Each structure stands twice: as structure tokens, then as C-alpha cells.
Amino acid sequence: MGELITYTIAGGGLILIGGWEALLSSSETLKSPDPDSSESSKSHSLTFLLISLLSFFFIINSFFSLFDALNLNDQTGLVLQLEVISISALFLLYSLLGFLNHAKKGSFLFPSPLLSLLVLFAFIEEFILFYLQKKDPIGIENRYFDLLLVPISVCVFSTMLELKNPDSGFPRLGRAVGLILHGMWFVQMGISFFSGLIVHGCSLHEKSRGNFTIRCKGHPEYHRGKAIATLQFNCHLALLVAFTVGAYAVVCKKHGVRKESMRYRPIGAEMLQMDSTSQFTLDSDDEGDEIENKIKEERRLPMHKALTVVQDIGANGYGSHR
């Protein structure tokens, strides 16, 4: 029951951070406020504060699991918790530096690309952790960890885009959506692993507090468990897409849309302008037809005269020989 509460708190924290960041980035993208304003600084300070609290929670929870692995002589669980602590420490450092940047207006501020690079390393390390976590090759939890790589990849890609375009709000919006999906899948893993709602025929085997596996009786149960995990992830993804579209529509209705985003230039606009300058009337078309008919008549006249001469010669008998 304790692990279920841990996963629920972790997932809920990620959903809260992602939702708040999505709201900020979408509103800034639409109305483009001044990033140096006090309101924007307070909003970003709250984001970094939430990240620091969640990172501190991960570190404390990992220390409990670390001591449990030491008591049970679980070397694998010990190594896993050390990796989780290192990842959480990177996120905690990122949040503290970002909070100091927005809380104080001193002469020395940490560059934004440096902060983005720091959080990028944290996401990459988290990706490697779940990608290589194959303690039990036939464990159902491996499928859940593989699907967790999708939102982590979204966060990695969005952070890389933020490094290239730090002034754009769309990379932050993409990372916020990735964080929301990350948190939703964390909650789903906690419910599936520790509440008994896993597929029938599979059971939880726990070596220590942070080292567990889910084994099934046979191949039918194993494949059914993987299929159910994929179906659950697709449902979470569809729910997130519907929620994101609805929330974006509400934000657009509330804040409006920037004029820059409403400037639509159709493809081939230059050709349309050229066509509009060269306008032809029906009179000009008729005059062109008359000139063309005159040219044809002038070409037909010599041929008609020659044909008349040939007919006259044939009628007088000079042109025919028997």
C-alpha cells in the first residue's frame, strides 16, 4: 500500500507541474507577455518550487528504499536507488538554480541554456535508467517501463528544441504535455503493480522496497498482460489529447490569439497577384478572335486562286491528256 501511495504522489506531482507549465506556456505563446515582468517571474518561481519539492520527495523515498535494500542485502535494489537519487539530484539542482534566477534580480544570473542543458541531462539519464532496467526478462513491468520511454522522449526532444529556440513557448508546451503523460503513466503503474489490478495469472514478487518484478504463470498470461498494458497506454494518450485540445481552446477563448499567428499567406500568393494585375475583358478577346480569323482568310486566298486556275485549265482542255 505504501508503494501505491508513493507512485500516486509522484504521478500527481508530475501532472500538476506539467499542467501548470502548459498553462503558462500556452498563455505566453498567445499573448506574448514580458518575461521580465513580476507576474511572469512569480509564475516561473512557482514552477521551480514545485519541481524542487517533488525532487526532494523522490530523494527521501529513495533513501528509504536504499536502507531497505541494505537490510535485505539486495545489491540490485541498492544500485537502482542510487541511480534514482542521482537523477532526482539533477532535477533538484535545476529547480534551485531556476528559482534563484527568478527570485532575485542581481547582477549574476545563471544562463537559461545552462539550465536547459542541465534538465536535458536529467531526462536522458532517466531514459537510460528505464531503458536498461531489465531485471527480469519475462517480467510484465518491462512493458510498462518501455511505454514510459515515450513521454520521456517527448521531454528530451522538447528540451533540445528549447536549447535551439529559447524564446519560443512551444518547446515548453511540448515538455509540459510529456510531463502530464509521464505522471498519468506513473499513477497507472502504481495501480497496476500494487493494487492487485494486474492481469489474472500474474503476481508481484518483491525483493526489496524498490526492487520488484511481476511474473506470470505462462505465455498466455504474459502476452495478455503486455496487451493490456499497451491498451492502457493508448487510453491515457487519447485522454491526454482530448484534454489538451479542450484546454487549448479554452485558453484561446480567454486570452485571444496573437495577430502574428493570424497572418495567413496562401501558397502561390505571388502568382495570384500577377493574375490580378493582368485582367482581360470580353472585348479584347473578341478583337483577338477577329485578327486570328483575318490571318486565316489571308492564308486561304492564294490557295483558292490557284485552285480556280487549275479548274479553268481543265475545263478548256489544256490541262488534260488522254
Side-chain angles (χ1 to χ4, degrees):
M1 190 64 181
E3 288 83 357
L4 175 59
I5 297 175
T6 300
Y7 272 76
T8 303
I9 294 175
L14 288 172
I15 294 173
L16 180 61
I17 294 172
W20 177 250
E21 188 68 13
L23 182 62
L24 288 179
S25 57
S26 59
S27 60
E28 289 179 2
T29 302
L30 292 174
K31 61 180 182 179
S32 62
D34 185 9
D36 296 329
S37 63
S38 59
E39 182 181 356
S40 179
S41 298
K42 290 180 181 179
S43 301
H44 289 292
S45 299
L46 180 58
T47 302
F48 288 117
L49 181 60
L50 292 174
I51 295 174
S52 62
L53 291 176
L54 186 62
S55 302
F56 185 72
F57 168 77
F58 270 103
I59 293 175
I60 295 299
N61 179 72
S62 297
F63 270 113
F64 280 110
S65 301
L66 184 69
F67 292 139
D68 187 63
L70 286 174
N71 293 331
L72 297 175
N73 198 18
D74 183 14
Q75 301 297 326
T76 303
L78 177 65
V79 173
L80 286 176
Q81 298 310 313
L82 289 175
E83 292 179 353
V84 174
I85 291 174
S86 63
I87 296 172
S88 302
L90 284 177
F91 281 111
L92 181 61
L93 180 61
Y94 162 76
S95 60
L96 291 177
L97 294 179
F99 182 80
L100 291 176
N101 272 5
H102 290 278
K104 67 174 185 177
K105 297 296 181 181
S107 58
F108 177 75
L109 296 175
F110 293 96
S112 297
L114 179 62
L115 296 179
S116 300
L117 192 62
L118 185 63
V119 74
L120 177 62
F121 286 156
F123 280 124
I124 291 176
E125 189 174 353
E126 184 185 10
F127 183 92
I128 294 174
L129 171 65
F130 286 102
Y131 180 77
L132 299 178
Q133 194 173 153
K134 307 291 183 182
K135 304 181 297 296
D136 189 0
I138 59 174
I140 293 297
E141 74 279 359
N142 294 328
R143 183 58 178 171
Y144 285 85
F145 293 154
D146 290 340
L147 293 171
L148 184 61
L149 299 178
V150 176
I152 299 176
S153 301
V154 172
C155 295
V156 170
F157 183 71
S158 301
T159 308
M160 292 174 66
L161 291 180
E162 187 183 24
L163 279 171
K164 186 176 181 181
N165 300 314
D167 297 330
S168 176
F170 290 103
R172 289 174 49 215
L173 180 60
R175 186 172 60 195
V177 173
L179 287 175
I180 295 174
L181 184 59
H182 196 316
M184 293 171 63
W185 195 238
F186 251 52
V187 175
Q188 181 63 58
M189 287 195 301
I191 295 174
S192 299
F193 295 163
F194 305 107
S195 66
L197 295 180
I198 198 67
V199 65
H200 293 292
C202 301
S203 58
L204 176 68
H205 297 269
E206 197 170 7
K207 295 182 179 179
S208 64
R209 190 172 182 271
N211 184 16
F212 58 88
T213 184
I214 300 176
R215 295 178 182 176
C216 300
K217 294 180 179 179
H219 287 287
E221 292 81 4
Y222 173 72
H223 291 292
R224 187 164 61 247
K226 291 178 64 177
I228 290 176
T230 306
L231 180 62
Q232 289 172 346
F233 185 81
N234 291 335
C235 291
H236 281 280
L237 187 60
L239 179 63
L240 177 62
V241 170
F243 175 77
T244 303
V245 172
Y248 188 75
V250 171
V251 172
C252 289
K253 184 178 180 180
K254 182 179 180 181
H255 297 285
V257 183
R258 292 171 56 186
K259 295 181 178 180
E260 289 79 3
S261 59
M262 294 295 292
R263 291 178 180 175
Y264 172 71
R265 188 178 182 86
I267 299 175
E270 295 82 1
M271 298 297 297
L272 292 175
Q273 292 177 359
M274 292 177 62
D275 292 338
S276 62
T277 55
S278 57
Q279 296 179 353
F280 296 96
T281 61
L282 294 176
D283 296 338
S284 62
D285 292 340
D286 293 339
E287 291 176 359
D289 293 338
E290 292 178 0
I291 294 173
E292 186 177 357
N293 292 332
K294 288 181 180 180
I295 294 174
K296 289 181 180 180
E297 289 294 333
E298 290 178 358
R299 289 179 180 176
R300 288 175 185 173
L301 229 104
M303 296 178 62
H304 181 68
K305 290 182 179 179
L307 183 60
T308 304
V309 172
V310 172
Q311 288 178 355
D312 292 341
I313 294 175
N316 294 330
Y318 295 104
S320 60
H321 298 278
R322 295 186 183 273

